Amino acid sequence: QLFTWDSALPRMRKSSENADLAGAVAHQTRSFVLSLLDEDIDWPAFTLWLSALLHRHGDRILRVKGMVTVRSTGKPLVIQGVQHVMYPPIHLEEGDAPDQERGLVFITDGIEQDDIERSLHAFLKAVDRMEDGPAGPSGQPVMAAAPGG
């Protein structure tokens, strides 16, 4: 199986589990930047990943905000949201943000940067592999046979 939701969305400790750790505080608010400077994002795949992340962990994603370059247009897009709510993206022209770094700022409660970063990259790689599909001897994609056919 190329992709499962469990492999793409990190298993993150709940704040109550953090409280059980010696000397830990129940809520661990942190902020970090997920750099996407050299990456053009597959927008439909990215929105699917972000929706799944917010559905599963939105109560602990206090804020997400940033700018990504969309692969299909090559243009920047600004996104922002609070917990489970995402605001409509703002489409920019390349000249409107030429020297702005691409990336996402997260403010979280008990979720580590590495977990979110691994999740995003695993999801996007799985989507890329599915889009490439298996190649035949001629290098052309092979269509899977219908079951029983």
Side-chain angles (χ1 to χ4, degrees):
Q1 197 173 27
L2 283 179
F3 174 79
T4 64
W5 287 108
D6 286 338
S7 68
L9 293 176
R11 294 195 185 275
M12 301 170 198
R13 281 185 276 208
K14 294 192 182 249
S15 295
S16 60
E17 291 171 339
N18 287 338
D20 293 338
L21 300 174
V25 239
H27 296 283
Q28 298 178 358
T29 303
R30 56 185 49 90
S31 64
F32 52 85
V33 176
L34 188 73
S35 178
L36 300 169
L37 186 59
D38 297 327
E39 297 183 50
D40 288 350
I41 296 294
D42 178 320
W43 181 245
F46 175 78
T47 58
L48 183 61
W49 169 80
L50 186 58
S51 295
L53 180 72
L54 294 177
H55 177 75
R56 187 166 179 182
H57 301 288
D59 57 330
R60 296 186 303 137
I61 307 283
L62 306 179
R63 184 93 161 97
V64 60
K65 181 178 187 173
M67 186 176 356
V68 298
T69 300
V70 178
R71 183 181 298 163
S72 61
T73 65
K75 295 181 180 177
L77 192 91
V78 175
I79 65 163
Q80 56 183 323
V82 177
Q83 294 190 312
H84 296 279
V85 178
M86 289 300 294
Y87 297 96
I90 300 168
H91 299 263
L92 301 176
E93 292 299 321
E94 186 59 42
D96 293 341
D99 55 357
Q100 294 288 321
E101 185 171 328
R102 305 304 192 256
L104 301 172
V105 175
F106 282 88
I107 301 174
T108 66
D109 180 12
I111 300 177
E112 299 291 335
Q113 177 176 352
D114 289 345
D115 291 331
I116 291 179
E117 196 163 8
R118 270 194 308 274
S119 170
L120 174 60
H121 291 296
F123 190 91
L124 294 177
K125 280 183 186 178
V127 168
D128 283 345
R129 284 194 306 266
M130 288 189 299
E131 287 177 351
D132 292 343
S138 66
Q140 296 297 316
V142 175
M143 298 299 288

